[in-house]
Amino acid sequence: LNEFQKSNRWEVKSICELNTSAHADIQARAPHTDIVTDEDLIFNDPSIDAVVLSALADSRLSQIRKAIAAGKHIIAEKPIADTPENEWEAVRLVENAPIRATVNMYIRNSWYLRELDECIASGELGDLAILRVCHMTPGLAPGEGHEAEGPAFHDCGMHYVDAARWLAHSEFKTCHAQAVRMWAYKDPWWLQCHGTFTNGVVFDITQGHVYGQLSAKQTHNSYIDVIGTKGIARMTHDFKTATVDIRGVTRTECIKRPYGGKNIGTLIELLADSIESGVRDNRLPTFRDSAIASEFAWNCLRDAADHDMPVRG
């Protein structure tokens, strides 16, 4: 809502919120917006061009079906459904419908990922050889989130799976995963996987919400490390500022810019461009991108379950 209200290209016509006790606060923030408890009032409103699907994953497929039937463009949270089978059904539906649809795979819309991609393409690093992606934070403890969206490596980790695939410009080929069940919780709260892409690039991805939950002063460790045959480029951030450090064959540069958060503003502007022009902007994450990242994350979780999965704490 905040990002839509900053844009002069969108009008927020209606919001569906089942919790009526929240309506007064929403209305105060959006006084000219209709607050409803029946989602069909939105899907059946011919004046609404696009819908944002941001409830839990188990509601997504039915809402995607309604949006397509009503001819509405879609911004969906990820994952796009609650199971891989339902996600691929959503992909099939969207790819055969005359609408524009995208997914909030927010790292795709970040300035730092595009800076790394352009550096790889320029040849400054030689041939891309290794991608290392890490995101470890204190984050949510078990029971505080992730339940409908799957374990941490699926709900949060699929962003980093997607980022690695996008930088590699290739599909995953092999994978081995190792996880740990922190605090005896049923799902692993830390997972690392490594493997190869079909183009020969090697990767490792680490994700977990286990990074000093009870530290007196909390911190985090988040980076993307791009290693070529001749040079390297890397990104780190502190959730406020992102830093891209490039050590190429002719270019040595350190770039610091605002982190950018979830980059919703970029996402909705790209979708507005795509709707108005009638041509999809290729920078928009697709439903297929989301389904691939989700399926790979689930596969990693299954692979980790086949190995020793210690319980600590």
Side-chain angles (χ1 to χ4, degrees):
L1 177 59
N2 291 340
E3 294 302 322
F4 276 112
Q5 288 180 324
K6 292 176 187 176
S7 173
N8 60 8
R9 304 177 71 185
W10 294 92
E11 175 192 353
V12 181
K13 178 73 161 42
S14 186
I15 295 173
C16 180
E17 172 55 70
L18 298 181
N19 179 11
T20 56
S21 66
H23 284 200
D25 287 340
I26 298 171
Q27 199 74 75
R29 293 171 58 198
H32 304 297
T33 297
D34 297 327
I35 315 298
V36 302
T37 56
D38 181 358
E39 66 181 33
D40 288 340
L41 293 175
I42 293 175
F43 291 112
N44 294 333
D45 186 340
S47 71
I48 292 176
D49 300 306
V51 291
V52 179
L53 310 180
S54 55
L56 296 180
D58 54 5
S59 68
R60 209 95 71 216
L61 182 58
S62 66
Q63 291 178 340
I64 289 167
R65 287 190 176 115
K66 290 180 181 181
I68 291 172
K72 300 191 187 305
H73 307 292
I74 300 171
I75 299 175
E77 262 300 337
K78 59 87 196 127
I80 52 173
D82 53 347
T83 67
E85 294 77 17
N86 285 343
E87 288 179 285
W88 285 110
E89 172 65 8
V91 171
R92 185 189 66 79
L93 290 170
V94 162
E95 290 184 345
N96 286 284
I99 62 167
R100 305 286 174 225
T102 190
V103 187
N104 181 26
M105 305 286 283
Y106 74 92
I107 298 178
R108 285 281 198 101
N109 295 308
S110 64
W111 70 266
Y112 50 82
L113 198 72
R114 300 198 179 279
E115 191 71 49
L116 293 173
D117 186 51
E118 289 169 7
C119 185
I120 293 167
S122 73
E124 278 289 320
L125 312 182
D127 290 335
L128 177 60
I130 303 161
L131 287 169
R132 305 186 66 235
V133 184
C134 174
H135 187 73
M136 293 190 293
T137 70
L140 298 171
E144 293 182 340
H146 303 288
E147 299 306 309
E149 272 60 39
F153 188 76
H154 182 262
D155 185 18
C156 178
M158 62 180 282
H159 282 301
Y160 305 98
V161 168
D162 181 66
R165 174 175 169 262
W166 193 77
L167 287 174
H169 291 280
S170 186
E171 301 298 336
F172 293 102
K173 181 180 180 182
T174 66
C175 178
H176 174 91
Q178 183 65 57
V180 60
R181 288 176 53 210
M182 298 289 276
W183 316 296
Y185 189 64
K186 63 183 177 66
D187 295 322
W189 226 239
W190 180 94
L191 186 147
Q192 183 180 65
C193 61
H194 62 262
T196 59
F197 288 95
T198 56
N199 64 359
V201 171
V202 173
F203 72 88
D204 71 69
I205 302 169
T206 303
Q207 190 277 331
H209 293 303
V210 300
Y211 209 62
Q213 305 301 86
L214 297 178
S215 301
K217 188 173 182 180
Q218 291 185 337
T219 186
H220 73 282
N221 189 7
S222 187
Y223 62 80
I224 299 175
D225 209 0
V226 180
I227 303 169
T229 56
K230 297 178 180 178
I232 65 99
R234 60 193 176 197
M235 183 283 297
T236 59
H237 72 79
D238 61 3
F239 289 105
K240 295 179 181 178
T241 302
T243 301
V244 173
D245 188 20
I246 297 170
R247 308 296 177 96
V249 290
T250 66
R251 180 184 175 195
T252 302
E253 188 175 0
C254 183
I255 308 167
K256 292 179 181 285
R257 294 179 195 161
Y259 172 60
K262 299 290 186 181
N263 303 298
I264 303 294
T266 302
L267 183 75
I268 65 175
E269 291 304 301
L270 291 176
L271 183 62
D273 290 341
S274 298
I275 293 171
E276 290 178 352
S277 69
V279 179
R280 179 189 176 82
D281 192 302
N282 61 14
R283 291 172 291 179
L284 283 171
T286 66
F287 270 40
R288 182 172 292 272
D289 293 326
S290 181
I292 289 171
S294 173
E295 188 171 57
F296 182 82
W298 281 123
N299 288 341
C300 287
L301 286 157
R302 282 192 290 268
D303 187 66
D306 289 337
H307 308 133
D308 183 30
M309 192 184 292
V311 175
R312 306 301 297 166

